[in-house]
Amino acid sequence: MTKAAVFTGMGKDLEIWDVEVASPKQNEIKVKLAASGVCHSDLSVANGTLPMMPPMVLGHEGAGVVEEIGPGVSHVKPGDHVVISWVPQCGTCYCCVRGQVELCEVGMASQMTGGLLDGTRRIKKDQMEVGQFPSSGTFSEYAVIPDLSVVKIDQDLPMDKMCLVGCAVLTGVGSALNTADIEPGASVAVIGCGGVGLNVIQGARIAGAGNIIAIDMVDSKLKLAEQFGATHTVNAKEGDPVAAVQTITGPGALGPRGVDYAFEVVGASATIEQAINMTRRGGTAVMVGVSRMDDVISNFSPFMHLFMGVKTIKGSFYGSANIHRDIPRYADLYRKGTLMLDELVSKTIDLADVNQAFEDMKGGEVARSVITY
Ligand SMILES: [Zn+2]
Ligand SMILES: [Zn+2]
């Protein structure tokens, strides 16, 4: 029997179930989890922002040891330490062959259904099938996942820190280095300084950005943002953050200027509007946060932002990551001390405390709780 934290319905606490996790099939592996971060997207499933079909094992930011491999698996073997990605890459679909592997169409379908790449499930409670979100399900002692969703790491790297690479780092640092491709000296603003936002900030630092302006409503998060590389902080409770950013960047010949790159890491129309408004003429606004499906932007002037403003507005999914290129890169940067992971972990908890981790997240004080097994 395997203990797993299961989503059983919108707005309910996750339940700890004893489940059976089957052996891996063709091109799948079974991982014995060592650690899993608790990400805001798990809470978004639990509270209904991301609609998913229960019952489903949540958790998608894991690291562990390969327990068993299915037929056709050659790039890892039992005993290997791996970081798990929640974006399976088939390697052959329209997006994969064009280099946008994070948008894999086959992977996206499995993310939505809670199954593996062939659409079937590997987890059961008695006779009932249980899904895994999204194609990972790391709130569990064991998980069966597509073999291309794991990347091997050196055995001396701490898995209770490396697990965070699987979502927060790939998404946040990736949106700075890959999606925006920030150039040295560029000015950057980041709205929202949770686990992903802090990683956008350290991504901007790693890219060699000039001014890095962190914006949040919680002072303790802004303090942490400075540790991760923010040169300025703005508490959005204390006035208009757009005006505050324009004051920091200074005026241009045509009026208030704004930043070269603005990142929205909250997922709300109000902060998306702010991100676009604080982007300078010719600059780029990158949308990282997950919005509610029914949230729309009504106050958008194409004339001001696209014709006069010549702004680029980009969506960012999973930091435009190629996991097989980026996870080894981030492991190296962590080893060198350039990528901060230890500082992201505010609490280490047991699987049974996962609902408390959600409560801490709602309170806005916690960067990341990490479950260790
Ligand atoms: Zn996540
Ligand atoms: Zn694909």
Side-chain angles (χ1 to χ4, degrees), residues 135-164:
S135 307
S136 40
T138 57
F139 293 168
S140 175
E141 292 165 324
Y142 291 91
V144 172
I145 45 186
D147 66 336
L148 286 177
S149 296
V150 302
V151 175
K152 188 178 162 180
I153 56 168
D154 291 340
Q155 305 233 349
D156 64 322
L157 290 168
M159 289 200 278
D160 59 343
K161 310 295 186 309
M162 285 302 294
C163 63
L164 301 178

Side-chain angles (χ1 to χ4, degrees), residues 88-97 100-101 103-108:
Q89 304 172 357
C90 76
T92 56
C93 74
Y94 188 91
C95 290
C96 278
V97 299
Q100 291 175 304
V101 288
L103 304 183
C104 175
E105 293 175 345
V106 181
M108 177 55 87

Side-chain angles (χ1 to χ4, degrees), residues 197-214:
L198 290 172
N199 277 296
V200 178
I201 289 166
Q202 69 171 333
R205 167 176 52 78
I206 291 166
N211 283 341
I212 303 173
I213 307 163

Side-chain angles (χ1 to χ4, degrees), residues 39 41 60-61 86 167 368:
C39 174
S41 302
H60 59 279
E61 193 176 64
W86 53 270
C167 185
R368 263 304 188 264

